[in-house]
């Protein structure tokens, strides 16, 4: 009997019908195909009992069977399942169910009574079931499923093989046996059992799906899809399950539209089918199409008004769009109607956190934890709240209970909760959160101890969780854990695009381009067909850089891009410096997908990058729908680009700690340092160290890092920087000569007192001459392409210097001390930082870094000033990517002398401070205070960005040869695993130096770029 069939002898009232519909919806949400979780069994029993009272025996039976899927020996479920069948008049089924239950619960009085009653009605009464009675096929299937749930596929296979030896054509046994073979990686076995099953029932949806998955894992994606399409063509009357299988295969092949056609067909045949609605919403979300997902939620709610499943989905979609307030309204209404299941209550708590209502979120999570102390999601939320409130001990203690059943929750010191062997590794979420908290609060040794207890991650770990584990292993320096995580990932049949790209970047970090290319090809095979094009684009960007990736993309035809693909293209255009095309394309994308938050973020970032931050800010202000915290964060980024740091700090201070988190601790520290807030910056040290690699070492060495040096100086001289301007001349000059912050404040005061020219000058004393530097004679193609943008400027001369020609120039034009200083530099970056000052002082002109791209008319910059044009970075320093000066200018004489003296004194300051923007800031401050003139013009970074794109994304910067690569060469064990996988052999963790794949790449000739 169908669950919808119900013989009534009266017409139910409207209220009674509504109650029954609500109960049915709640019950269906706890049945397959939804995930069957043991913690929902209490609710299943409640609904089953209510269904029996209403006479809905079929629904009650389904609920009892769902309980038995999670716990086959549950006494109540075994008894009630048999009793329910007897009450429904299904005597044969009742007898079989009672006898099967007696094999699990021998001499159980309730089951024995049901057996006797059933036997009497059938006239086959026996005093006892035969001792030799074997398990029924249904019970064998139940036990096999239990073994699978407990990660015991071998036991499940043994039971099913016994079943199939007696019943070779048992369709459910064949379907489950094929699934077990697929799960254990026995692809040939899976295909064999699928073939047997399809001989019995050619349209069996589960078998069709298993066969398609097995073929896909063998790399036969087209065959998998083709067989399902053939099954559909030859039998258009396939049931809904088979059509779902075909739709999933189409999705895997990237055919989103064709997949949706199949779901619509199911809806036409079975109006309101909830699985079809849920699948359509899920697929729109997976494509990043928020607008379409919202429309599909609305369509589902037309068929199922007030259904918590679809209201919950709509709230989730609104959250993805950054519209937390609207999502909150839906979830609070569901809670008020008492229809909020645990999942929706967790969603409500998460949304309350997103809008900064921590106390209400905390109350909901505590209630969930009271109901189910093992609710790890509730623990995660409470730990996050405690961490936001600054109570690290409480946060760690909350997570200890989720790590191990034996954890001591009274251990407030936060020591390791249990021996590493007792860690519950099947709970990746709590483990990762605990590790993150340990790193954030400086407990790296404790984190390393937990990591060592994980071993090799099993199937409980999702791809995003494996990526997080990989990152944490790198931060703690736990290379064995990184190796095991990498091996576990590569052993999976299917990789996510994010994990594949992460592994490719590990390969690129070896500096071996051939290895990276082979690795990319092997990784692509492990991706679903529908995600391979996107991976190819992003991997091209990683390997070849923006221009190379764009060239390859132009040779590829894509009929229709979804929002995720469009976002990737927009990002590539931005990184390739295609200013007009990028901004125009992103405007088109915003019109097409107005609810897409990722595209809004990308458009905002691109406008900031290309010197249109004010327009980006204006656009945010004019948006008809507020995105709450997301809009605030985007406004902050545009305000930072504009240098309006006071406005930024005002917004940040008004935000909840959870809302500030996406800004990053380093970003928040830079804002506070720039505003002279030493106390606020010092409070972020631990969090900044946790964000950096290997946080234990980073925290210990933080004071000698770039941000640490800033904080040291700010704490040394105090935050009362305005008084620097009023100091006696000699003291003020010494402060500005030796310290960044007094110099910055001095420039602030000078800039506020002068009027920047609003129009270009007709004439400038700055020569039409461009100079650049690359230390080697052979220039990498990606760098040569950028340099060409400066070489072909009409009316300008161009000259590039190498280390050899730079020394020759200094010998000819400067005294020997400058040559000695140049030879004392420690990197190509220091060489070009020093040389550019000498070049411009000697002959004037324009200097541009080799990794900067000229986008527009360089005269738009040169003609902004009579004698010198400099730009201020958004945090206030004088940048040195672009410099323009007339010959012999006093500012560059002073800067070159200061740089020479620092090098000769062998000062151990960072390059940024000693020779880079820090030096330029100090030299400029001294110049404007001692030799004020009108030929110096300071432009903003936004002004520069309209003409020049600085710091282009280039592949060589990820290799060990890059001067500023802080990670260094990849460990040998990682290189071995990657090399084995790229060559098609099984990866192992043992490394043989004789076969080191890095030996085949270029040695000293690998590019070692300047800035």
């Amino acid at each position: 009997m169908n669950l919808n069939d119900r013989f009534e002898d009266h017409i139910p009232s409207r209220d009674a019908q509504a109650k029954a519909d609500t109960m049915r919806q709640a019950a269906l949400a706890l049945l397959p195909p939804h995930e069957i979780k043991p913690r929902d069994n209490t609710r299943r029993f409640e609904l089953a009992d209510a269904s029996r009272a209403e006479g809905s025996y079929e629904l009650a039976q389904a609920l009892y069977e769902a309980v038995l899927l999670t716990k086959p020996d549950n006494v109540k479920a075994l008894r009630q399942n048999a009793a329910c069948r007897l009450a429904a008049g299904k005597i044969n089924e009742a007898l079989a169910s009672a006898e099967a239950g007696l094999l699990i619960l021998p001499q159980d009085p309730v089951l024995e009574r049901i057996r006797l009653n059933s036997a009497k009605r059938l006239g086959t009464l026996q005093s006892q079931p035969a001792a030799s009675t074997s398990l029924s096929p249904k019970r064998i299937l139940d036990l096999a499923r239990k073994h699978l749930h407990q990660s015991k596929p071998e036991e499940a296979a043994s039971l099913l093989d016994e079943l199939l030896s007696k019943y070779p054509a048992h369709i459910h046994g064949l379907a489950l046996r094929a699934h077990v073979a697929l799960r254990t990686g026995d692809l040939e076995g899976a295909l064999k059992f699928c073939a047997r099953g399809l001989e019995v029932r050619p349209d069996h949806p589960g078998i069709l799906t298993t066969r398609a998955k097995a073929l896909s894992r063998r790399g036969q994606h087209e065959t998998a899809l083709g067989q399902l399409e053939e099954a559909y063509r030859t039998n258009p009357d396939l049931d809904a399950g088979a059509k779902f299988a075909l739709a999933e295969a189409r999705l895997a092949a990237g055919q989103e539209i064709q997949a949706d056609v199949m779901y619509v067909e199911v809806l036409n045949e079975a109006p309101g089918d909830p699985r079809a609605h849920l699948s359509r919403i899920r697929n729109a979300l997976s494509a990043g199409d928020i607008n379409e997902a919202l429309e599909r939620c609305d369509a589902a709610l037309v068929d199922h008004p007030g259904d918590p499943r679809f209201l919950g989905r709509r709230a989730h979609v609104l959250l993805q769009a950054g519209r937390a307030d609207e999502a909150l309204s839906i979830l609070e209404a569901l809670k008020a109607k008492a229809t909020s299941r645990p999942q929706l209550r967790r969603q409500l708590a998460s949304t309350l956190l997103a809008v900064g209502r921590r106390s209400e979120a905390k109350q909901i999570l505590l209630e969930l934890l009271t109901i189910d102390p093992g609710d790890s999601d509730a623990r995660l939320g409470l730990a996050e709240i405690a961490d936001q409130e600054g109570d690290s001990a409480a946060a760690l203690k909350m997570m200890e209970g989720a790590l191990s059943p034996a954890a001591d929750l009274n251990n407030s010191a936060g020591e390791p909760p249990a021996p590493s062997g007792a860690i519950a590794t099947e709970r990746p979420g709590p483990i990762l959160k605990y590790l993150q908290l340990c790193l954030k609060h400086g407990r790296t040794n404790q984190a390393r101890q937990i990591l060592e207890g994980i071993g090799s991650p099993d199937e409980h770990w999702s791809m995003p969780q494996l990526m997080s584990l990989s990152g944490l292993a790198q931060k703690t320096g736990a290379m064995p854990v990184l190796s095991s995580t990498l091996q576990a990932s590569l052993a999976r049949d299917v990789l996510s695009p994010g994990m594949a790209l992460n592994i490719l970047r590990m390969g690129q970090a070896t500096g071996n381009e051939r290895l990276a290319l082979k690795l990319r090809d092997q990784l692509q095979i492990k991706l679903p067909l529908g995600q391979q094009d996107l991976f190819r684009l992003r991997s091209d960007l990683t390997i070849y850089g923006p221009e190379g990736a764009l060239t390859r993309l132009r040779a590829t035809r894509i009929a229709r891009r979804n929002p995720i693909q469009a976002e990737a293209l927009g990002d590539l255009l931005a990184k390739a410096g295609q200013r007009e095309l990028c901004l125009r394309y992103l405007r088109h994308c915003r019109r097409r997908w107005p609810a897409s938050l990722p595209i809004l973020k990308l458009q905002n970032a691109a406008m900031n990058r290309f010197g249109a931050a004010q327009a980006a800010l204006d656009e945010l202000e004019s948006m008809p729908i507020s995105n709450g915290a997301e809009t605030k964060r985007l406004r902050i980024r545009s305000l930072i680009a504009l240098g309006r740091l006071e406005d930024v700090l005002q917004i940040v201070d008004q935000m909840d700690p959870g809302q500030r988190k996406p800004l990053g601790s380093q970003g928040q520290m830079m804002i506070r340092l720039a505003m002279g807030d030493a106390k606020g910056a010092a409070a972020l040290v631990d969090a900044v160290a946790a964000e950096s690699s290997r946080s234990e070492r980073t925290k210990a060495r933080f004071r000698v890092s770039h941000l640490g040096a800033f904080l040291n100086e700010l704490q040394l001289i105090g935050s009362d920087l305005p008084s620097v301007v009023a100091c006696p001349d000699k003291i003020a000059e010494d402060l500005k000569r030796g310290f960044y912050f007094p110099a910055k404040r001095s420039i602030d005061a000078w800039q506020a007192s002068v009027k920047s020219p609003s129009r270009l000058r007709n004439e400038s004393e700055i020569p039409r001459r461009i100079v650049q530097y690359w230390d080697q004679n052979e220039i990498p193609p990606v760098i040569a392409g950028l340099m060409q943008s400066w070489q072909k400027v009409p009316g300008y001369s161009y000259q590039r210097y190498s280390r050899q020609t730079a020394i020759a120039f200094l010998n000819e034009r400067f005294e020997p001390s400058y040559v000695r200083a140049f030879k004392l530099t420690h990197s190509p970056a220091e060489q070009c930082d020093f040389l550019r000052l000498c070049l411009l002082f000697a002959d004037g002109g324009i200097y541009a870094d080799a990794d900067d791209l000229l986008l527009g008319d360089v005269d738009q910059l040169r003609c902004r000033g009579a004698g010198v044009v400099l730009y201020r970075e958004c945090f206030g320093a004088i940048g040195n990517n672009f410099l323009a000066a007339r010959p012999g200018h006093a500012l560059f004489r002073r800067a070159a002398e200061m740089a020479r003296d620092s090098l000769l004194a062998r000062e151990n300051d960072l390059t940024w401070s000693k020779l880079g923007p820090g030096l330029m800031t100090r030299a400029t401050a001294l110049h404007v205070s001692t030799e004020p003139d009108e030929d110096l013009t300071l432009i903003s970074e936004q002004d520069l960005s309209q003409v020049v794109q600085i710091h282009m994304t280039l592949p060589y910067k990820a290799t060990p040869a890059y001067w500023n690569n802080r990670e260094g060469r990849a460990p040998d064990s990682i290189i071995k695993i990657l090399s084995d996988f790229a060559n098609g052999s099984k990866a192992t963790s043992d490394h043989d130096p004789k076969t080191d794949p890095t030996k085949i790449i270029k040695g000293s000739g690998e590019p070692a770029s300047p800035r």
Side-chain angles (χ1 to χ4, degrees):
M1 182 184 294
N2 187 285
L3 291 180
N4 291 316
D5 294 340
R6 176 83 171 90
F7 296 102
E8 300 282 1
D9 57 2
H10 68 283
I11 299 175
S13 68
R14 186 171 298 175
D15 290 344
Q17 186 62 48
K19 181 180 178 181
D21 289 344
T22 300
M23 182 175 67
R24 181 179 300 278
Q25 290 169 2
L28 291 175
L30 299 176
L31 298 174
H34 298 285
E35 185 178 359
I36 304 300
K37 297 180 179 179
R39 68 186 181 199
D40 293 327
N41 283 342
T42 301
R43 180 61 174 157
R44 289 192 184 96
F45 279 124
E46 293 173 357
L47 291 169
D49 294 342
S51 298
R52 286 184 66 189
E54 293 290 325
S56 299
Y57 297 111
E58 292 281 342
L59 185 58
Q61 290 168 28
L63 288 162
Y64 293 135
E65 288 175 355
V67 173
L68 291 171
L69 287 176
T70 65
K71 194 171 183 182
D73 58 351
N74 185 280
V75 177
K76 181 177 179 180
L78 287 168
R79 290 173 172 177
Q80 298 292 3
N81 192 27
C84 194
R85 294 173 190 279
L86 186 62
K90 298 179 178 180
I91 311 303
N92 283 314
E93 291 184 21
L95 178 60
S97 183
E99 290 181 342
L102 284 166
L103 293 171
I104 299 173
L105 304 172
Q107 299 181 344
D108 180 86
V110 176
L111 288 171
E112 180 61 27
R113 186 165 59 249
I114 295 170
R115 187 191 73 82
L116 290 172
N117 288 339
S118 301
K120 279 183 181 180
R121 294 193 191 185
L122 292 171
T124 59
L125 179 61
Q126 299 176 11
S127 60
Q128 290 290 339
S132 61
T133 303
S134 61
L135 292 177
S136 68
K138 181 179 183 304
R139 185 51 53 205
I140 290 176
L141 292 173
D142 288 344
L143 289 174
R145 292 188 184 100
K146 178 185 178 183
H147 286 315
L148 273 180
H149 182 71
Q150 295 174 340
S151 299
K152 299 176 181 177
E154 293 80 9
E155 286 87 341
S158 178
L159 280 172
L160 293 168
D161 287 341
E162 182 180 347
L163 171 67
L164 293 173
S165 68
K166 297 179 181 179
Y167 307 99
H170 195 290
I171 188 64
H172 300 303
L174 288 167
L176 189 55
R177 186 64 183 85
H179 174 74
V180 172
L182 182 68
R183 180 161 169 177
T184 58
D186 181 9
L187 302 182
E188 294 302 325
L191 291 171
K192 179 187 72 174
F193 287 111
C194 285
R196 287 174 56 184
L198 292 173
E199 288 178 1
V200 178
R201 184 180 166 189
D203 63 344
H204 190 284
I207 296 178
L208 288 170
T209 304
T210 300
R211 183 178 68 173
K213 288 180 178 178
L215 288 169
S216 294
R217 291 182 186 180
R218 284 174 46 170
Q220 298 174 261
H221 304 286
E222 294 85 354
T223 304
L225 177 59
Q227 289 185 350
L228 286 171
E229 295 284 8
E230 179 64 23
Y232 177 62
R233 279 194 298 270
T234 56
N235 184 10
D237 296 326
L238 283 175
D239 68 9
K243 289 179 179 177
F244 275 108
L246 175 55
E248 293 299 315
R250 287 177 173 176
L251 275 174
Q255 301 176 10
E256 291 117 340
I257 296 175
Q258 294 89 329
D260 194 57
V261 167
M262 190 56 62
Y263 293 128
V264 171
E265 183 174 321
V266 172
L267 285 170
N268 289 335
E269 295 171 356
D273 186 295
R275 289 184 303 165
H277 278 307
L278 290 169
S279 296
R280 296 191 75 219
I281 296 167
R282 179 201 65 194
N283 297 337
L285 271 179
S286 65
D289 196 337
I290 301 296
N291 295 82
E292 185 65 28
L294 287 171
E295 290 180 9
R296 293 179 181 183
C297 286
D298 292 340
L301 287 166
V302 170
D303 287 339
H304 303 272
D307 189 314
R309 291 173 297 176
F310 299 112
L311 287 170
R313 290 296 193 286
R314 194 173 203 284
H316 174 70
V317 176
L318 288 168
L319 269 178
Q320 296 293 305
R323 291 154 62 177
D325 291 336
E326 296 175 67
L328 192 58
S329 298
I330 293 174
L331 295 170
E332 287 182 322
L334 283 173
K335 184 185 178 186
K337 293 178 182 178
T339 60
S340 180
R341 300 190 302 274
Q343 180 180 352
L344 287 174
R345 294 172 74 183
R346 292 187 203 98
Q347 190 178 356
L348 173 58
S350 175
T351 308
L352 286 166
L353 270 178
V355 299
R357 290 163 58 177
R358 275 182 295 172
S359 59
E360 296 168 73
K362 186 175 183 178
Q363 182 60 39
I364 292 172
L365 294 171
L366 286 171
E367 291 171 2
L368 287 169
L369 205 57
T370 302
I371 297 169
D372 180 6
D375 190 332
S376 58
D377 292 330
R379 286 185 177 274
L380 285 167
L382 288 167
E384 178 64 28
I385 290 172
D387 191 41
Q388 290 180 14
E389 293 174 345
D391 192 347
S392 61
L396 286 162
K397 181 179 176 182
M398 180 58 64
M399 295 315 306
E400 287 168 5
L403 281 181
S404 170
D408 177 12
L409 295 184
N410 295 318
N411 175 15
S412 60
E415 293 304 315
S420 59
I423 298 300
T425 56
E426 72 277 6
R427 301 176 182 177
I431 291 175
L432 292 171
K433 183 63 180 178
Y434 189 80
L435 289 169
Q436 290 162 1
L437 288 169
C438 286
L439 289 178
K440 181 175 180 180
H441 298 291
R443 303 183 180 189
T444 311
N445 289 332
Q446 186 174 330
R448 196 176 290 118
Q449 182 177 347
I450 299 296
L451 280 167
E452 290 169 355
I454 293 174
S456 180
D458 58 19
E459 69 276 4
H460 292 97
W461 292 72
S462 68
M463 278 295 158
Q465 288 169 335
L466 287 172
M467 287 181 64
S468 296
L469 183 61
S470 170
L472 290 166
Q474 290 181 72
K475 286 184 178 183
T476 59
M479 290 301 108
V481 179
L482 179 60
S483 295
S484 64
T485 303
L486 180 57
Q487 288 176 311
S489 302
L490 293 173
R492 297 282 176 97
D493 293 311
V494 179
L495 289 172
S496 69
M499 176 58 89
L501 201 60
N502 189 47
I503 294 171
L504 177 62
R505 287 173 180 148
M506 290 186 196
Q508 190 182 24
T510 66
N512 184 343
E513 184 177 340
R514 277 195 283 171
L515 172 62
L517 289 170
K518 291 174 69 176
L519 186 62
R520 190 264 296 275
D521 292 339
Q522 292 294 324
L523 289 168
Q524 184 168 314
I525 295 172
K526 281 185 170 281
L527 293 171
L529 275 175
Q531 297 175 337
Q532 290 185 6
D533 285 341
L534 183 61
F535 173 71
R536 197 79 182 180
L537 185 154
R538 288 177 169 160
S539 63
D540 281 345
L541 178 60
T542 300
I543 295 172
Y544 300 111
E547 193 58 41
L550 196 56
T551 300
R552 285 163 174 77
L553 182 65
R554 285 177 174 138
T556 306
R557 296 181 65 86
I558 297 180
R560 180 186 176 91
R561 289 186 173 87
N562 62 34
I564 292 177
Q565 293 167 331
E567 180 193 354
L569 175 56
D571 180 56
L572 174 58
L573 291 172
K575 288 176 177 174
Q578 300 287 322
R579 184 181 192 276
E580 298 302 324
L581 180 58
C582 174
L583 295 179
R584 186 169 66 249
Y585 180 69
L586 290 175
R587 283 195 297 270
H588 162 75
C589 291
R590 287 279 295 133
R591 288 192 297 269
R592 184 174 174 187
W593 299 293
S596 172
L597 184 59
I599 288 178
L600 172 62
K601 289 180 176 179
L602 181 60
Q603 183 190 39
N604 177 266
M607 294 176 80
N608 295 340
R609 182 187 191 107
F610 289 126
Q614 185 59 54
L617 199 59
D618 294 341
E619 187 159 329
L620 290 172
E621 300 290 351
S622 65
M623 285 177 58
I625 300 176
S626 170
N627 291 72
E630 290 294 349
T631 301
K632 286 182 181 178
R633 286 190 282 267
L634 293 180
R635 289 189 68 238
I636 285 171
R637 298 189 191 285
S638 292
L639 288 168
I640 289 174
L642 291 166
R644 292 168 52 181
L645 301 183
E646 290 185 6
D647 296 334
V648 169
L649 201 56
Q650 184 177 0
I651 297 174
V652 169
D653 286 340
Q654 292 173 353
M655 296 174 77
D656 183 84
Q659 295 174 331
R660 291 199 294 265
K661 190 173 180 179
L663 295 174
S665 300
Q666 292 192 38
Q668 294 180 55
M669 179 178 277
M670 290 175 69
I671 294 167
R672 296 194 179 279
L673 287 170
M675 294 303 298
D677 180 7
K679 183 178 179 180
L684 292 164
V685 170
D686 286 352
V688 170
E691 284 182 2
S692 305
S693 62
R694 303 187 185 178
S695 60
E696 185 179 57
R697 185 180 68 182
T698 303
K699 185 176 180 181
R701 298 177 57 190
F702 176 78
R703 290 291 177 171
V704 297
S705 69
H706 181 57
L707 290 179
F710 272 169
L711 181 57
N712 293 341
E713 179 182 310
L714 197 57
Q715 291 176 325
L716 176 66
I717 64 176
S719 297
D720 189 20
L721 293 176
S723 62
V724 170
V725 180
C727 282
D729 291 346
K730 184 65 174 73
I731 296 175
E733 182 177 345
D734 288 344
L735 285 171
K736 285 178 281 190
R737 179 182 295 276
F739 296 99
Y740 166 77
F741 284 104
K744 175 183 173 295
R745 278 302 176 100
S746 180
I747 294 173
D748 290 341
W750 174 82
Q751 198 169 12
S753 67
V754 299
K755 185 178 180 180
S756 298
S758 57
R759 296 190 310 173
L760 299 180
R761 298 173 179 269
N762 292 327
E763 287 296 331
S764 171
E765 296 180 44
I766 302 171
R768 283 187 168 89
R769 172 177 179 264
I770 297 172
V771 289
Q772 290 187 293
Y773 178 80
W774 189 262
D775 63 320
Q776 301 171 35
N777 290 323
E778 183 180 350
I779 306 174
V782 290
I783 295 295
L786 297 177
M787 286 183 158
Q788 282 181 357
S789 69
W790 297 94
Q791 292 169 6
K792 299 179 179 180
V793 180
Y796 278 75
S797 66
Y798 176 88
Q799 187 168 4
R800 179 185 66 83
Y801 287 84
S802 66
R803 188 176 191 278
Q804 182 180 0
T805 57
I807 293 174
F809 164 78
L810 292 171
N811 268 319
E812 179 184 347
R813 302 292 299 276
F814 287 82
E815 62 185 55
S817 62
Y818 284 83
V819 180
R820 289 199 306 274
F822 183 84
K823 291 181 178 180
L824 287 172
T825 56
H826 296 298
S827 67
E830 290 194 351
Q831 293 167 19
C832 71
D833 277 349
F834 178 60
L835 179 66
R836 72 188 69 191
L837 304 175
C838 299
L839 288 170
L840 295 188
F841 173 61
D843 298 318
I846 292 171
Y847 183 91
D849 269 344
D851 63 349
D852 294 346
L853 176 69
L854 180 62
L855 301 175
D857 182 0
V858 73
D859 266 354
Q860 296 289 317
L861 301 175
R862 187 184 69 87
C863 295
R864 291 289 294 269
V868 173
V869 177
L870 305 176
Y871 80 96
R872 291 198 79 178
E873 296 176 347
C874 56
F875 289 104
I878 302 297
N880 71 339
N881 280 68
F882 174 92
L883 301 169
R886 61 172 171 78
H889 198 281
L891 192 158
F892 279 85
R893 182 193 69 241
R894 186 190 302 271
E897 289 173 350
M898 291 170 65
R900 177 201 59 186
D901 294 344
S902 294
L903 288 169
L904 293 176
R906 303 197 177 193
E907 294 176 358
N908 60 359
D909 287 344
L910 296 171
T911 302
W912 189 94
S913 300
K914 181 171 60 178
L915 301 170
L919 170 80
M920 284 304 302
T921 304
R922 291 182 283 115
T924 302
L926 289 171
H927 177 78
V928 298
S929 59
T930 59
E931 302 179 43
D933 53 50
E934 297 182 356
D935 69 349
L936 167 62
T937 300
L938 293 184
I939 63 174
S940 69
E941 190 169 339
Q942 284 287 292
D943 292 331
L944 177 69
S945 299
Q946 294 175 22
V947 182
V948 179
Q949 185 168 352
I950 62 175
H951 302 311
M952 292 285 287
T953 302
L954 298 173
Y956 78 89
K957 293 183 180 181
T959 67
Y962 179 49
W963 73 274
N964 201 26
N965 187 331
R966 295 178 176 85
E967 297 301 320
R969 181 179 178 274
D972 290 348
S973 59
I974 301 302
I975 295 175
K976 179 67 165 61
I977 294 170
L978 295 174
S979 181
D980 284 346
F981 176 75
N983 292 316
S985 59
K986 185 176 181 180
T988 62
S989 59
D990 297 323
H991 181 66
D992 181 3
K994 295 179 182 178
T995 59
D996 187 342
T998 61
K999 300 300 182 185
I1000 63 174
I1001 65 169
K1002 292 180 289 184
S1004 59
E1006 191 71 3
S1009 166
R1011 302 179 57 79

